[in-house]
Amino acid sequence: MRIHHLNLASMREIDSPQGLPAARAVCHALLIETPASGLVLVETGLGLDDLAKPDEQLDREWTELVGPVLAPAETAVRQVAALGHDPLDVRHIVLTHLDVDHSGGLPDFPHAQVHVMAAELDAALAEAPNRRYRPGHWAHGPNWVTYPGTGTRWLGAEGVRPLTGLPEDFLLVPLDGHTRGHAGVAVNDGERWLLHAGDAYFYHGELSRDPQPHPLMDIVQLDAQVDPERRVSSQERLRSLVHDHGVAVFSAHDPWELSEYAQ
Ligand SMILES: [Zn+2]
């Protein structure tokens, strides 16, 4: 399998508490070329409709807060094509959750199967439209494949499931608290497990043994959480995956983390 780390949407510039150069927050995504299941996209960032009709597709308050750049070349569909692939070959999309900046690219891949936790889809359909869930992202009727949040134990994490139609190198790992049905997406690259943790944390310093949140991103994360206790326990699980099991964990919006992977 070949794994690409992509930034699907640049957002407001943020300072580094560690003295690294300031950088725009990102939407870290994976595009994975599999031998038998076509292309798999983990996360979809913002899509072409969001950029063409931001007032309709996005929430104005969210846009002002987050400051997305809205560059078509950053969308998943354009980056898939730029890598020499046909967007129709993206047969599977796996989402950590359905927040606006994670589900925006869905309409650009209407034929794909979309894997997500059932609790997340239920919450999004019940609560939309609001600042986080935008019904235009699923108005085309995606081919949803949902998961119940029960499953096996994997490296100390509970409720873990393989993904239907994908090799066993892919797992959905419940990490709720940011939203009702938030999950991480684990991918085995042949040497180690990678885990896209979505918005289960926002800044790499939060996963160190002595956690250091980002002062600005922490405000965003506290404002967005639906269950503080579950969010904190999801972060503890991630620290254990990193420090006890050697899993390469990364999140959605940390630009310094993406630069470590997108070589
Ligand atoms: Zn997010």
Side-chain angles (χ1 to χ4, degrees), residues 97 99 101-102 178 199 202 252-253:
H97 63 305
D99 272 359
D101 49 334
H102 300 256
H178 175 69
D199 289 0
F202 274 62
H253 302 303

Side-chain angles (χ1 to χ4, degrees), residues 169-184:
D169 304 313
F170 289 83
L171 298 171
L172 198 61
V173 181
L175 292 171
D176 52 307
H178 175 69
T179 60
R180 295 275 166 226
H182 188 283

Side-chain angles (χ1 to χ4, degrees), residues 64-80:
E64 283 171 8
L65 181 75
V66 171
V69 166
L70 304 178
E74 288 190 333
T75 59
V77 68
R78 291 285 171 82
Q79 292 200 59
V80 165

Side-chain angles (χ1 to χ4, degrees), residues 19-152:
L20 296 168
R24 287 186 180 277
V26 296
C27 288
H28 188 157
L30 302 178
L31 180 70
I32 302 154
E33 303 172 19
T34 71
S37 307
L39 298 173
V40 180
L41 185 61
V42 178
E43 303 282 68
T44 70
L46 296 178
L48 289 174
D49 275 0
D50 296 321
L51 278 50
K53 303 177 286 183
D55 290 344
E56 203 175 304
Q57 289 289 101
L58 309 173
D59 175 82
R60 185 167 297 175
E61 205 182 321
W62 178 86
T63 307
E64 283 171 8
L65 181 75
V66 171
V69 166
L70 304 178
E74 288 190 333
T75 59
V77 68
R78 291 285 171 82
Q79 292 200 59
V80 165
L83 285 165
H85 297 294
D86 184 338
L88 287 169
D89 288 336
V90 175
R91 284 159 46 192
H92 298 271
I93 291 173
V94 193
L95 296 178
T96 60
H97 63 305
L98 286 165
D99 272 359
V100 50
D101 49 334
H102 300 256
S103 60
L106 288 179
D108 295 329
F109 303 94
H111 48 276
Q113 293 189 51
V114 181
H115 305 261
V116 68
M117 297 282 282
E120 184 67 12
L121 183 57
D122 291 347
L125 296 180
E127 294 170 25
N130 60 9
R131 193 205 285 189
R132 80 182 323 155
Y133 296 130
R134 308 303 296 170
H137 289 173
W138 44 81
H140 59 286
N143 300 312
W144 300 112
V145 184
T146 59
Y147 298 84
T150 55
T152 55

Side-chain angles (χ1 to χ4, degrees), residues 14-23 203-204 256:
I14 49 177
D15 290 324
S16 161
Q18 295 174 303
L20 296 168
Y203 174 63
H204 60 274
W256 305 286

Side-chain angles (χ1 to χ4, degrees), residues 156-223:
E158 303 285 353
V160 177
R161 292 241 170 191
L163 288 155
T164 307
L166 287 173
E168 53 194 26
D169 304 313
F170 289 83
L171 298 171
L172 198 61
V173 181
L175 292 171
D176 52 307
H178 175 69
T179 60
R180 295 275 166 226
H182 188 283
V185 183
V187 185
N188 194 319
D189 72 358
E191 292 179 0
R192 61 178 179 171
W193 282 100
L194 308 178
L195 179 69
H196 193 316
D199 289 0
Y201 71 101
F202 274 62
Y203 174 63
H204 60 274
E206 293 176 273
L207 292 196
S208 60
R209 288 189 191 277
D210 173 25
Q212 306 289 336
H214 186 284
L216 181 62
M217 294 172 108
D218 200 40
I219 294 170
V220 176
Q221 119 171 301
L222 294 175
D223 181 54

